[in-house]
Structure formats: C-alpha cells, structure tokens
Amino acid sequence: MSGLPRELLKWLQSLDLTYSVKNVKRDFSNGFLVAEIFSRYYVADVEMHSYDNGSNLTRKLDNWGQLKRFFAKKGIDIPPALINDVVHCKSVEAAAELIAIVYTLLTGREVKGPKYTELDPSDPANDPAFMKSNATSLLQSRIKASEMSTTLADQTTAASRAKSLIDDHTDAQRAARETDPARFAMPAGASVSQMSMQMMRGPAKPVPETIEAAQVRFQELGAMSAILSELTLPHCPDVVSYTGSAANANSFATLAANLVQLPVNVVVRLLETAAAHSLHALAAAVSKEPAKAWELFDMLTPAMASLDGASAYEAIVALLVQFGEELVAVDPETAKRVLSTYALPFLAPLLRSATAAKAPQLLALVYAFVPETAEDHIDAIRALQNAVDEPSCFFWLLPHLVKLEHASVFTDDLFNLYIYYAVLSLDKKSRLLASAVGVLASLAEMQPNKQPIICELLPKLATLQDPWWETQANMAKLATALLCIGPVPKDPAAVVALLVHALASRAPSAQVVALACAVKVLVEYPKLLPAFVESLLDLPADMRADLLSPDKSHEDVHIATAGGATIDANTLVSVWPKLNVAKALMDSARAHSLDTLEPAHAEVIAALLPSDIIPHDLSEGKVAWGEWLKANKDYLYVALCDEELCAPVTSALLALFSILKEEVLPTFSTLLSSLRMLCDQVGDAAEPSTCLDTAISFLLNLHATGAPFKEAVTNLVTNFDEPMKLTMGELVHRVGH
C-alpha cells in the first residue's frame, strides 16, 4: 500500500472495506472501492449492488458514471481530469491525490504530508536529469491505451492531446536550457554531430514497427486502412457521411475510430461490406508483411470493449474471423505468426474480461487463425494460456474452447492436454471446478471411446461437494454422457449417483439442466425416477412450465448464467417415458402422505396427458394406462374438489378417457363419490364454485363424445341424490334431454 500517507492508510483500514488495498494505482481505478468508501458516509445514497468490482473498461466507466451523478447530486467537487487519470491508471500520485481529496471531504481533516526542508522528491521537476521524461516516455505515461477507445477515440482529439504534451515538453526543455545552460553546453571544440553521437553512446537502434505504432497511435494511416478504404467505402457511400467534415472523412480508419458512436445498423453494414470485398487483399498484404496485421486489430478491437449492440460486436468478430480463415487458406504459417504476435495481445484483455456470452465468440476468433491440425491447436492453446496470463481466467475459458474442437483434430495428445488441464482444476472451487467438470463432460460427449479414462476420475468426482450451480449442471451433463454414449461405464451406480446429486441441487438452474439430461436415460436407469420427479416438483413454477411446454417447436429452455450467457436445456415432453413418470409422480404423493395432489402434480399430469394426445403417444399401451388410472383414481377424482387442480386434471382425464374407452368405466363409482363431496362442499360455500363449473363442463364434454361415455354419464346422473340434482341442475337438465 505504498503511495499513501500513514493517515490515509489508517482511515481506509478503519472503514473495513470489502477488498484490501494492495496496489493504489490499480485498486481505485474501477471506482468500486471509492463507492464503498462513500457508502460508509452516505448509506442511503450509495447502493453497492449497483457497482461491479471488475477490471473491464466498460465496468470502470459505468461505476464512475454512477459516482459522477452522485457527486453532482451532493455537490461534491472532484476534478474530472483527476478522475480520468485514476480510471486509466496513469500514476500512483493521481490515485493518492483522489483519496486525499475524498478523505478531506468526508472527515473535514487535511492530510498531513511530510515536510521537506530541501527539494521535494515527489515533484517531477526535481528529478535528476537521467530520470526526466523524453517525448516518447511522456506520451506513453500520459496517454493510455484505454483512453484511445474512450475519451481519445477521435484521432483529431488524440493528435491534439499529443501535440499539447509535446509542446509542454518542448517548453520545459527550453526553460531548462535557460535556467541551467551549463548542463547543455558542448565541450570546447566539439561539433553538434559529435556531441549527439556521444549522447547516444552508439548507433541508433531501429524501433520495431509494432512498438512505434503503439507509442504514437495517431500517426498517418497505414496500408490496411488504405486497402479497406479503397475496397469497402465505394460500396457504402451513405456510411461515409457519418464522418462529417473530418480531415480523413473518406478513411476506413476514421469510421473504425468512431464505431461506438455510429448506429448499430451502420456498423454492421460497414463491416459486412468490408468482409465481402476486402478479405483477399488484406490476407495477401499480411502474407507479404505480417506486421501489417497489427493495424487491423488496432483499428477494430478497441470498439469491442465498448460496443453495446450485440449485432455490432458480432460483426467485428465475424470480419476478423473471416480474415483469419482467409489468411490460413493463403499462408498458414503466417496466420499462426499473426495470432501469437499481433492478435493475442489485443484479444487477451478482452478474453480476461469476457462474459460467458462473448467468450465462445472470441475463442472462435482465436481458432480462425489456426490450421486444422492437432499440433497447431495445441500450440494455439499454449499461446492463449501465455497471452491471458491469468490461470483462473484461462481455465474458465477451457469449456468454451473444447467445444470448438473437431473430431478430425482430436488426437490422443490433444485429448490428454484437456484432461491434464481439467485434473488441475478439480481441486479448485466454484467457477474453476465448474470449468473442469464442463471440460470432462464435453470430452465424454465428443470422445466416447475415451470414456474409460474419464471414468478413472469417478472416485475423485464423487467426493466433490461444491454447491455452485454450474458445477452441478456440468456434473449432470458428464454423468449423462457417460450413461448414454458409448459403452456402459464400469461402475454405473457411481455415475447414477452423480446425476441424482445434481437433481437434488438447491439451485433451480442446475435442476433444469439435470432434468433435461436425466430424462434421456430414465428408461435404462429407472432408479433415477424418484429423484427426477422430486426435482421436477421442486422447481419454481415458471421454470417447470418451460420444461413442460407442450409447444413442440419450443425445443430448448434458455437459462441465464452468472456470466450473462445462456445454457440450453431440452424440454421434457418429447422424450420422457410418460407412464414411468406418471407412476413415479403418484408414488411421490404417497411417499409424502399427501391427502390430495398439489398444483405441481397437476401441471405434470397435464403435460403427460395433453388435450391433443393421440393413441400412439401412449406407447406403453391402453392396459397399462388403465391400471395406472385405477390405482390412482382417488387422487385424480378428488382433484375435482380443488380449485387449483380441477382444470388441469379434468383436461388430462378427458384426453386419457378418449383413448381408454371402456377401461375407464370401473372407476366411475369413485368419480360419483368425489362429485358428492364436491356438492357438499358447494352447499356449504357462500360464493359460486369454479370446481362445480369445471366438473359440469368435464361431464358434459364426456357425454358428448358418445359411446360408451354417453350412457355412463347418464347412469351417473341417475344415481345423484336430491341435493346433488339441485346443485348440478344444469348437468341433470342437459343429460336428461
């Protein structure tokens, strides 16, 4: 925590902040800790759930945007230029100054800094000559890459800022010559050229193109921009109008620098046009001079960190993917070099801050520059690991990466590399453990002949007790892959236990995935049925409704993850063994000693027996379903007396009766008892009964279907006692006629 006076350190420690300050320049840059400091003094005005402790530039700007609105509301004056320096991590001094200002504002006390009797070492003007900035180092320290995609996205503004810094530097040098002429004096008899050579201490070394371009972003446009301008802009003249009267109005680079400000449809049209007309020329240019690829990534990737529109972001990714594929086709070796040297340095920060929605797209972009061989994929994975340089982030990316592998490149070496990474993460927690299990699940699905290797990890997997929902969801996927693809594992009971554990998760999202997985193996492994039914009944109503959707075109349920992506889970109705589930459903009601079914039971019954059911949907046969009805008639008919159950249950019964026909009739004595109970219930109630209306409608519809139910309903009505005839007068009247 060097860089802060002791007084500030003690104050920060007294606030009991969520995160300790370890790097002053970095830790305050995203505004999270600044917001937390103010929340200690303005409890009702600063709500920490609105702030994100991420390092992504977009999150930083969002946090500081909220803080600036709070400052304006409370009349708190903090210089915008100082905030900008803190956001872009320009110096420790900027962060220290900001915290000192906040300290004074909140406590009313001034920071008591050290008193210097001679020169103040914190003043850059007092630095020794060898420590003073030159023009290049000044630009590097005062203009950060993150500013180039935000406050300095406009090249004219960036150039103006650089010119101002250079002018100030020149003025400072001129003043130094005037105040200390002896320092700049030449020895007697020395020429300017000799003095210059002496100062350089040797011949000048050429500056690599990538470094030079990174230092001075606003230099004249390069070859890639010229190619894109020439081949793209003539095909979309209306897009050019968005550059206004800029000096480089007809330059693709000018448009690229303003992508964040352009309408989404304009961005998409520009990039799609570039992909259609420029790719071959771009690939040819880079094949001759690979360093030119730097300019393309430098133009396009800054906007990827700030674009809100998904289609605009995807258009940038699509253009770069197509460029990579074109380059691989033209010159595979150069494509690999471009990936490691020029692409990954730009993509690594995006990957480190990527959401689960964007990570697959960025990884597909990485693989676009990789030839389809196992050796090249292994090299690319290791290059990615080195570029990301954060083990936790790299391991989190692996489940997305393994899904991009094609069977043609899945050699033993590539498979073993993924297994190695997965095993390394099995001892981690939550997010990383979920990644490890996700990798194993994908490997089990994609390489069924290698399942024995994965099964060797079952004892280790059985000991994992991580409740994180993505871990449990991936565990369900892994277990299902082992059970339904390839040979039966050596210990199927251990695999079934993994799936049962996932079904019993307390996280609804994990349950949905586990249900969608388990339904595929219910026939082969009926021991799963009790856990399957309990999990289904335990789901929140809306999530259960999605899984039970009768719409056959609705094939997937989309579950939002913590990272913002979605997991697709197949709906159940098209694949589940209906009779087995129906039996397990009623067994569950008995196991819990329920007097009547609950609404969740009724929802499942309605999904098992939809109103549009046809005979061949009941593949188990009429006899088996007839026995199910007889065994559970008490539960089913008493549902007529419950307002939450009557509608879905009678709809299901009507559909089932239309198929079973005579098999139903022996249960009508129980139906009569339930109707008598319903009439007694209605007689005691002060308000009209929905159940009565539903029961009358059910019996009338059954009567209208003809034999054998017309006569059966008529006989049922003739057995009504007088109170029942009065209560169900409409039914008696219509059946009697």
Side-chain angles (χ1 to χ4, degrees):
M1 289 172 57
S2 62
L4 291 179
R6 181 178 179 82
E7 185 177 357
L8 288 184
L9 297 181
K10 292 177 64 178
W11 175 61
L12 291 174
Q13 290 172 348
S14 71
L15 297 177
D16 191 25
L17 300 177
T18 304
Y19 302 96
S20 59
V21 180
K22 298 178 181 177
N23 183 316
V24 175
K25 182 169 67 172
R26 180 197 64 204
D27 293 344
F28 290 105
S29 67
N30 67 0
F32 182 86
L33 286 180
V34 177
E36 191 169 18
I37 290 170
F38 276 100
S39 73
R40 299 293 191 268
Y41 293 84
Y42 295 89
V43 178
D45 298 291
V46 180
E47 299 177 349
M48 289 309 299
H49 66 78
S50 301
Y51 294 85
D52 191 320
N53 190 33
S55 59
N56 180 281
L57 180 59
T58 303
R59 294 171 185 170
K60 288 184 180 183
L61 296 177
D62 179 68
N63 287 348
W64 279 105
Q66 295 183 67
L67 282 171
K68 287 177 181 178
R69 290 190 291 273
F70 165 72
F71 294 159
K73 179 180 178 182
K74 296 297 181 181
I76 296 172
D77 184 20
I78 297 179
L82 179 60
I83 293 176
N84 186 70
D85 288 351
V86 173
V87 169
H88 299 291
C89 299
K90 290 191 176 181
S91 67
V92 172
E93 290 75 21
E97 182 182 351
L98 174 72
I99 298 306
I101 292 174
V102 171
Y103 173 75
T104 300
L105 286 169
L106 296 177
T107 66
R109 298 192 296 269
E110 295 288 340
V111 178
K112 298 177 182 178
K115 296 181 180 180
Y116 298 103
T117 56
E118 298 179 2
L119 296 178
D120 183 352
S122 67
D123 185 356
N126 296 321
D127 287 342
F130 69 88
M131 291 181 59
K132 293 183 181 294
S133 298
N134 57 28
T136 300
S137 62
L138 181 68
L139 291 176
Q140 285 181 315
S141 63
R142 300 299 298 276
I143 298 180
K144 296 295 185 179
S146 54
E147 290 183 282
M148 302 305 292
S149 61
T150 53
T151 56
L152 298 181
D154 178 66
Q155 290 189 359
T156 303
T157 305
S160 175
R161 172 75 174 278
K163 184 177 183 303
S164 175
L165 291 172
I166 296 298
D167 289 345
D168 290 344
H169 177 68
T170 303
D171 291 341
Q173 282 190 318
R174 185 179 297 110
R177 288 178 184 274
E178 294 174 356
T179 57
D180 189 11
R183 178 187 161 209
F184 299 92
M186 291 187 296
S191 66
V192 174
S193 60
Q194 289 172 333
M195 189 63 181
S196 299
M197 289 300 295
Q198 180 182 348
M199 293 176 66
M200 288 189 293
R201 299 180 181 177
K205 296 181 179 180
V207 180
E209 180 180 350
T210 55
I211 297 177
E212 182 178 328
Q215 291 172 347
V216 189
R217 170 89 183 277
F218 39 83
Q219 60 185 277
E220 62 182 87
L221 303 177
M224 302 298 274
S225 176
I227 292 172
L228 287 163
S229 300
E230 180 180 351
L231 299 180
T232 302
L233 300 187
H235 298 281
C236 48
D238 56 322
V239 174
V240 178
S241 64
Y242 283 92
T243 60
S245 58
N248 297 310
N250 293 321
S251 165
F252 186 93
T254 303
L255 288 166
N258 292 279
L259 287 179
V260 176
Q261 286 78 36
L262 296 179
V264 172
N265 63 317
V266 171
V267 175
V268 172
R269 188 160 72 255
L270 173 68
L271 297 172
E272 288 180 347
T273 305
H277 298 280
S278 306
L279 290 177
H280 184 71
L282 293 173
V286 171
S287 178
K288 294 179 181 177
E289 192 175 344
K292 289 181 178 179
W294 183 91
E295 184 191 349
L296 184 63
F297 285 94
D298 182 54
M299 278 193 295
L300 295 177
T301 53
M304 294 171 65
S306 305
L307 279 173
D308 294 328
S311 55
Y313 176 90
E314 291 167 0
I316 296 178
V317 174
L319 173 60
L320 293 174
V321 165
Q322 292 175 68
F323 167 66
E325 293 171 345
E326 183 74 18
L327 189 58
V328 168
V330 172
D331 190 343
E333 291 303 315
T334 297
K336 292 189 289 183
R337 179 182 171 190
V338 165
L339 173 65
S340 60
T341 307
Y342 304 108
L344 283 176
F346 284 96
L347 297 177
L350 298 174
L351 285 163
R352 282 193 289 267
S353 60
T355 63
K358 290 184 177 180
Q361 298 171 318
L362 290 171
L363 292 171
L365 172 53
V366 170
Y367 263 12
F369 290 83
V370 184
E372 286 293 325
T373 70
E375 294 76 12
D376 289 323
H377 278 223
I378 291 172
D379 290 342
I381 293 170
R382 288 172 175 160
L384 176 66
Q385 183 179 10
N386 292 332
V388 173
D389 197 28
E390 287 184 10
S392 60
C393 177
F394 172 72
F395 287 126
W396 177 75
L397 293 170
L398 284 176
H400 302 290
L401 189 63
V402 71
K403 293 177 182 178
L404 299 176
E405 305 290 359
H406 299 297
S408 59
V409 301
F410 235 132
T411 62
D412 288 348
D413 289 340
L414 185 57
F415 178 86
N416 291 337
L417 181 63
Y418 278 112
I419 285 287
Y420 167 73
Y421 285 133
V423 171
L424 284 181
S425 298
L426 284 180
D427 290 324
K428 309 299 182 182
K429 292 295 182 183
S430 299
R431 192 181 187 192
L432 296 187
L433 179 55
S435 296
V437 180
V439 169
L440 294 176
S442 295
L443 292 176
E445 292 175 356
M446 300 165 71
Q447 297 286 293
N449 59 318
K450 301 289 181 62
Q451 286 188 4
I453 298 175
I454 299 174
C455 287
E456 292 178 5
L457 298 172
L458 285 176
K460 174 68 175 178
L461 294 171
T463 65
L464 301 178
Q465 300 297 323
D466 183 25
W468 178 241
W469 81 266
E470 285 181 281
T471 301
Q472 295 303 319
N474 285 332
M475 198 73 78
K477 291 182 177 181
L478 171 60
T480 304
L482 293 174
L483 291 174
C484 69
I485 301 177
V488 176
K490 293 180 180 179
D491 188 4
V495 183
V496 169
L498 292 179
L499 190 46
V500 169
H501 189 268
L503 287 167
S505 170
R506 294 298 88 195
S509 295
Q511 289 179 275
V512 169
V513 176
L515 286 164
C517 291
V519 73
K520 303 172 186 176
V521 293
L522 287 179
V523 174
E524 294 82 0
Y525 299 94
K527 290 184 178 180
L528 286 167
L529 278 165
F532 178 87
V533 167
E534 292 298 330
S535 184
L536 183 58
L537 295 174
D538 189 50
L539 275 182
D542 57 336
M543 300 182 80
R544 182 170 54 248
D546 283 339
L547 277 179
L548 300 179
S549 172
D551 182 2
K552 297 298 189 292
S553 65
H554 183 74
E555 297 179 353
D556 293 321
V557 178
H558 305 291
I559 308 159
T561 71
T566 58
I567 290 179
D568 293 337
N570 295 328
T571 52
L572 307 181
V573 295
S574 60
V575 292
W576 59 359
K578 294 184 176 182
L579 182 60
N580 292 348
V581 174
K583 290 179 178 178
L585 183 70
M586 293 308 190
D587 289 343
S588 172
R590 293 188 183 88
H592 288 84
S593 302
L594 298 180
D595 293 329
T596 61
L597 299 178
E598 295 178 345
H601 294 83
E603 293 172 27
V604 178
I605 291 172
L608 287 165
L609 301 166
S611 58
D612 59 350
I613 194 172
I614 51 181
H616 64 73
D617 281 343
L618 299 181
S619 56
E620 299 87 351
K622 293 171 60 176
V623 174
W625 276 100
E627 292 174 353
W628 176 81
L629 175 65
K630 294 171 186 175
N632 301 289
K633 60 183 185 299
D634 292 335
Y635 271 131
L636 295 170
Y637 288 146
V638 80
L640 292 172
C641 302
D642 190 305
E643 292 193 356
E644 291 185 281
L645 306 178
C646 58
V649 171
T650 54
S651 176
L653 289 176
L654 195 63
L656 183 62
F657 287 3
S658 66
I659 295 172
L660 296 184
K661 303 294 185 182
E662 289 83 358
E663 292 286 335
V664 174
L665 301 183
T667 68
F668 269 39
S669 59
T670 304
L671 174 59
L672 178 61
S673 299
S674 296
L675 292 173
R676 183 173 291 112
M677 185 187 306
L678 172 61
C679 290
D680 292 342
Q681 178 179 297
V682 171
D684 296 335
E687 299 179 357
S689 171
T690 301
C691 293
L692 180 63
D693 295 338
T694 301
I696 292 173
S697 176
F698 165 64
L699 292 170
L700 287 175
N701 286 329
L702 198 59
H703 184 269
T705 60
F709 297 113
K710 183 175 183 179
E711 182 179 356
V713 173
T714 301
N715 291 336
L716 194 68
V717 170
T718 59
N719 287 294
F720 285 0
D721 56 25
E722 289 303 320
M724 289 182 67
K725 290 179 180 179
L726 290 175
T727 303
M728 306 189 75
E730 179 184 356
L731 174 66
V732 174
H733 174 74
R734 294 180 61 175
V735 168
H737 287 77

